[in-house]
Every structure is written in structure tokens, then in C-alpha cells.
Amino acid sequence: MRLFIGLFPDLPVRAALAAWRDGWNWPRSASPVRTEQLHLTLHFIGDVEPERVPQLAAALPTAFTPFELQFGRAVLWPHGVAVLEPDAIPASLLALHADIGAVLRSLDLPLDTRAYRPHVTLARRAGAAAPPHQGPAIKWKIDRYALMESTLGPGGGYTRVQEY
């Protein structure tokens, strides 16, 4: 199973994220993220044997202080990845990321070695895209996270394994 841990917005926040996505001028090559798949990844885990998933799901509950993310900055990253970055990174988000990372390490699951850069991916293959100068201000209250399965290929998508 291809797994990740992410933050998924409620409907009003998802609509605001989609409005940002729809405000870009996309090249033909761009692949915008479907509205129902807009999220912020805490940790990408990758392939995990199905028999290990119950152990992972049981180990993941982590107490954290709810926090708010504010978005208002569209950025085109290298390799054509269009993202929306938070205006500031709350200490509670970094603590949650670190605590879940410790759980993953304790289970000998891989961790990304790059510095954590929280963002919502809006599109891929968007190298020539023009980001909007402004979009709706987004305030997203975070009080839960989820273990998700990602299925690739036509008809692929995300399935919630467990919410915390």
C-alpha cells in the first residue's frame, strides 16, 4: 500500500484552495490536482506491506495542539510543481510533523531527509504556469490528520485508512 499522512481541509477551505488553483494560467502540459485531493502532506511514507498497516495505524495517534494555517502565497517550485505555501509555519505544525516522524522512525519506516516545506500542491508539470498575484485569504483550522492510501493510475485517488 502506498501511504502518506496528511491534513485534509473541510469543504469551505477546499473551495478556497480550488479558487487559488483555478486562478492560475496553466500551460497545456499542466496537471491540476483534483479538488477532492487537495491536502497538505505531513509525511510521505511510500510502499508498506498491507500486514504492517494495522501496527502503523495503532501507533499513529499523537496528541497535538490544534493550530491554524493561513495561506496567501502561490509559488512555482522547480520541476513545474505549483503550490500554495502558508504565510507562516506554526510551531504546532512543526511539532506534529516531528512527533509523527518519531513514530515512523520507531517502526523503521522511511522519512524524507529534506527539510519540511509545508504546502498544498495545486498542479504538476506546470513549468510555464503564471501564478495569480492574489487569491482568497485562507484560514484553515487544523484539529485532525489522517493516514491515507494513494492509488496511482487511471481512476486513482486517495482512501482514508484512519483519521486521528
Side-chain angles (χ1 to χ4, degrees), residues 15-96:
L17 292 169
W20 266 100
R21 179 201 59 210
D22 296 344
W24 285 66
N25 183 10
W26 299 116
R28 292 176 88 92
S29 63
S31 179
V33 173
R34 295 191 319 244
T35 300
E36 67 274 9
Q37 292 185 344
L38 293 167
H39 70 280
L40 189 146
T41 299
L42 285 169
H43 284 278
F44 178 75
I45 301 169
D47 292 330
V48 175
E49 295 87 12
E51 58 273 7
R52 290 196 67 196
V53 174
Q55 176 192 26
L56 171 60
L60 275 174
T62 300
F64 72 98
T65 303
F67 56 92
E68 183 175 270
L69 290 173
Q70 295 183 31
F71 289 91
R73 192 169 39 154
V75 181
L76 187 59
W77 282 4
H79 310 291
V81 179
V83 303
L84 192 60
E85 296 180 334
D87 295 332
I89 302 172
S92 295
L93 172 59
L94 295 176
L96 178 60

Side-chain angles (χ1 to χ4, degrees), residues 14 18 26 41 53-54 63 77 100 112-113 120 124 132 161 163:
R14 188 177 306 145
W26 299 116
T41 299
V53 174
W77 282 4
I100 291 173
D112 194 339
T113 57
V120 175
R124 291 179 176 74
V161 176
E163 187 171 80

